[in-house]
Amino acid sequence: RWERDLPDHEGCGRIVITYEIPAGIQSHKHPNPGMPYTGASRTAYLPDTQKGKKALKLLKKAFDAGLTFTVGQSLSTGKDNCVTWNDIHHKTNIHGGVHNYGYPDPDYLERLIADLSARNIT
């Protein structure tokens, strides 16, 4: 927990999530079994509120179920065989709003929890 607030969540601090995915060899679940893939380091932010803590628990369940990341082509670099997000939306910027994966985004937690619920993460 950090004491610094997120836009639209003043007075509650923020939760910082750090994902460290090491490089490895693709399995039969990946697009190119036997080929190496590049790892990734990602940081995401949630407000340190009751709903933010609920979202954190659900994100951990999704991660443990292997739903958070996949191996594929990076949208930002175009490089193949990289760890990439797997369509569970994270706030990776503190500022910048919806279009920059940041805050403020008043409906983010509701959308995230609904998205996870649709994936049977409850």
Side-chain angles (χ1 to χ4, degrees):
R1 180 181 192 274
W2 286 45
E3 294 301 319
R4 292 186 178 165
D5 298 329
L6 296 168
D8 276 354
H9 297 280
E10 286 75 18
C12 61
R14 63 180 140 172
I15 299 167
V16 179
I17 305 167
T18 303
Y19 295 104
E20 296 288 340
I21 312 298
I25 303 296
Q26 295 181 51
S27 73
H28 68 280
K29 299 177 187 176
H30 298 121
N32 298 303
M35 296 286 296
Y37 64 86
T38 304
S41 176
R42 301 284 184 266
T43 303
Y45 305 94
L46 295 168
D48 193 358
T49 61
Q50 186 175 356
K51 196 172 279 188
K53 289 173 186 172
K54 177 181 179 179
L56 177 64
K57 287 180 185 178
L58 295 174
L59 286 172
K60 179 163 183 357
K61 284 184 178 181
F63 180 83
D64 291 345
L67 300 174
T68 307
F69 295 97
T70 190
V71 175
Q73 184 178 38
S74 167
L75 293 176
S76 58
T77 67
K79 184 177 173 186
D80 283 322
N81 302 312
C82 295
V83 171
T84 64
W85 292 109
N86 196 25
D87 296 329
I88 295 175
H89 300 283
H90 285 66
K91 290 295 180 182
T92 55
N93 287 310
I94 295 166
H95 300 284
V98 178
H99 300 294
N100 292 304
Y101 311 105
Y103 292 91
D105 184 351
D107 300 320
Y108 169 65
L109 292 176
E110 289 80 10
R111 289 192 322 270
L112 174 62
I113 291 168
D115 184 35
L116 291 167
S117 178
R119 298 166 193 264
N120 295 316
I121 302 294
T122 57

